[in-house]
Amino acid sequence: MAERETIAGLHKQLKAAFHKTQNIEFRQKQLENLALLLKEQEEALCEAVYKDLKRPPNQTALEVTTAINDLNDIKSNLKRYLAPERKKSGWLLVYVKNPAFAGDTQEVRLEPLGVVLIFGAWNFPIVLSLQPLFGAIAADSLISKYLDNECYKVVVGGPEVGALLLELEWNHIFYTGGASTAHKIMEAAAKHLTPVTLELGGKSPAFIDKSCDLQKTARMIAWAKTFNCGQICVSVDYALCLHSQLMDFIEYVKQAWKEFYGEVEQSSDYSRIVNTTHFDRLVGLLRNTSGQIVYGGKQLNRDDLFIEPSIVVVSSLDDCLMKEEIFGPILPILPYESLEQAFQWIDNNPVLEQPLVLYIFSTDSIAEEQIIERIPSGGVCINEVISHVMSSWLPFGGIGKSGMGVYHGKYSIQVFSHYRAVLKRRFLMEPLVGKIRYPPATNRKNWLLGMLTRQSI
């Protein structure tokens, strides 16, 4: 009861504080403080993440850098990103295009939604918590996580605390995580008609086209599959490889892993699974797969939360490895005979459709476009892995089962903003307009009204 009352009290404080942060200079100062915090505490952040995941510090340093880059983009361009968008208002131009709005001033303003709730995620706690926060601060929305002062409140806890937060009314909810929790968030949001942004995951495929550089492709996929031990929503979930290239591709992936990690269990560059629950789930997938484990699958240490990188050649879409997002260092490979066959597999399987990322490895531009057109996805990465999420200039988000809404850079501001239309009319046109739009209607008035309001391209 006390915890519920505490959370309700924080929510009330945030409601009361809304509009106290409208000054752009104030927001820029908050963003500058966050940038300073990240730079000063980088070593401590790397150490904290290592304690949780045994993630190499250089990988967490990359996460910090990604957050700082995104923050700097928002901070440096804040006034431009928030500037009202003026629509065509020149007398002659508007008269020709749409005479009904001649002389009017039309603009779109970005205004804060209000008090918002952000749920981060454990696998990349810095960027997945802070990048949406940057947008919320920049948009002048108030937050109930990650900062703690009059306008920004921190609430730490598990599912029970999350459930208490969802009982309250928010102006927007931003969630990063799994689909099962996303269903609960949408149900709670529906009670208050609260808009949501959902950053989920899914089974992101790697299409390996016959034209690609197979060795370089294998190295990229091998790295992506073991970055943070595969615990990243934009990891390559499974690979689609031509039968004729299968054995070579497997050998190249094995070579890459041996080069990267040597004796992998002793490698300081190899992370661990987050907890025993996820460890047991991944081991269960390895034990229950009907596919052929062609590499790995044997070195499993529950006490150390260690699972070695593994390759499984899958022959059926009914295999357990193809039924859920893997989120671990297991690479299923699905051999195909033609791109059309691969397209049909994805088109006819609800689990595989609409991935968060579509990875394409090809030097054939026609094949690239064919794959992009046939497979809807949140984003596309060609001949590269994961790097697209590091760009502040590209929107990041899913589609369908992989999520809804996008963020990063200016898109993070837009998430927490309302596009408010403002039209200002001078009474100069009222004598003319008034004669034809007010009753009683006549054929001539109707004809003139049609001419006045018809918009040309």
Side-chain angles (χ1 to χ4, degrees), residues 69-122:
N69 290 343
D70 198 54
L71 176 56
N72 286 338
D73 175 73
I74 292 175
K75 179 167 60 71
S76 301
N77 297 289
L78 184 57
K79 290 183 179 180
R80 181 166 63 89
Y81 288 162
L82 291 174
E85 180 186 355
R86 290 294 180 93
K87 300 300 181 179
K88 298 172 183 177
S89 58
W91 269 91
L92 181 60
L93 179 63
V94 175
Y95 183 78
V96 172
K97 295 287 185 180
N98 193 333
F101 296 102
D104 292 347
T105 298
Q106 301 180 58
E107 65 180 26
V108 179
R109 300 178 184 178
L110 262 66
E111 298 195 350
L113 288 176
V115 179
V116 304
L117 174 63
I118 298 172
F119 289 100
W122 56 263

Side-chain angles (χ1 to χ4, degrees), residues 300-312:
L300 310 168
N301 187 332
R302 194 173 191 267
D303 292 334
D304 191 34
L305 298 173
F306 169 80
I307 295 179
E308 68 174 328
S310 305
I311 302 173
V312 183

Side-chain angles (χ1 to χ4, degrees), residues 231-403:
Q231 298 167 116
I232 174 172
C233 62
V234 290
S235 179
V236 173
D237 190 88
Y238 67 100
L240 291 155
C241 181
L242 281 167
H243 274 285
S244 60
Q245 295 178 308
L246 179 61
M247 298 313 297
D248 287 339
F249 175 68
I250 291 172
E251 285 303 313
Y252 286 139
V253 173
K254 289 161 59 176
Q255 289 173 17
W257 278 339
K258 289 175 182 177
E259 177 189 337
F260 297 162
Y261 307 115
E263 292 296 329
V264 64
E265 195 164 4
Q266 280 72 51
S267 174
S268 60
D269 293 311
Y270 193 76
S271 302
R272 296 297 188 267
I273 304 304
V274 64
N275 57 36
T276 54
T277 300
H278 285 284
F279 178 91
D280 293 340
R281 179 184 61 83
L282 291 166
V283 171
L285 291 175
L286 284 171
R287 289 175 176 167
N288 294 320
T289 178
S290 59
Q292 181 185 4
I293 301 176
V294 296
Y295 183 80
K298 297 176 182 177
Q299 297 182 46
L300 310 168
N301 187 332
R302 194 173 191 267
D303 292 334
D304 191 34
L305 298 173
F306 169 80
I307 295 179
E308 68 174 328
S310 305
I311 302 173
V312 183
V313 178
V314 176
S315 57
S316 170
L317 294 178
D318 291 326
D319 191 285
C320 63
L321 289 169
M322 302 306 296
K323 292 294 188 181
E324 63 179 75
E325 183 181 7
I326 293 171
F327 223 66
I330 305 169
L331 176 63
I333 304 176
L334 201 58
Y336 69 90
E337 296 291 350
S338 67
L339 283 178
E340 185 59 37
Q341 182 186 38
F343 294 154
Q344 290 297 324
W345 286 339
I346 296 175
D347 286 343
N348 298 321
N349 192 317
V351 178
L352 303 183
E353 65 182 3
Q354 298 177 321
L356 181 58
V357 192
L358 175 60
Y359 290 109
I360 303 171
F361 296 91
S362 172
T363 57
D364 182 343
S365 59
I366 295 177
E368 291 170 12
E369 289 303 317
Q370 186 181 7
I371 296 169
I372 291 173
E373 289 176 5
R374 284 295 301 271
I375 307 299
S377 66
V380 178
C381 211
I382 302 173
N383 297 326
E384 181 55 291
V385 287
I386 298 177
S387 296
H388 65 295
V389 304
M390 301 176 191
S391 173
S392 300
W393 304 330
L394 292 175
F396 173 71
I399 178 176
K401 294 179 179 65
S402 60

Side-chain angles (χ1 to χ4, degrees), residues 419-432:
Y419 284 76
R420 191 177 191 185
V422 178
L423 183 145
K424 181 178 180 180
R425 169 158 292 177
R426 298 171 178 83
F427 284 113
L428 192 62
M429 292 291 291
E430 178 57 21
L432 173 62

Side-chain angles (χ1 to χ4, degrees), residues 36-77:
L36 185 62
L37 172 70
L38 286 170
K39 291 173 183 175
E40 290 182 345
Q41 299 300 322
E42 180 176 332
E43 186 175 340
L45 290 168
C46 291
E47 182 180 347
V49 174
Y50 181 79
K51 288 180 179 178
D52 282 340
L53 299 167
K54 286 194 176 179
R55 185 197 297 164
N58 66 312
Q59 292 185 12
T60 303
L62 184 62
E63 183 183 2
V64 173
T65 298
T66 299
I68 291 174
N69 290 343
D70 198 54
L71 176 56
N72 286 338
D73 175 73
I74 292 175
K75 179 167 60 71
S76 301
N77 297 289

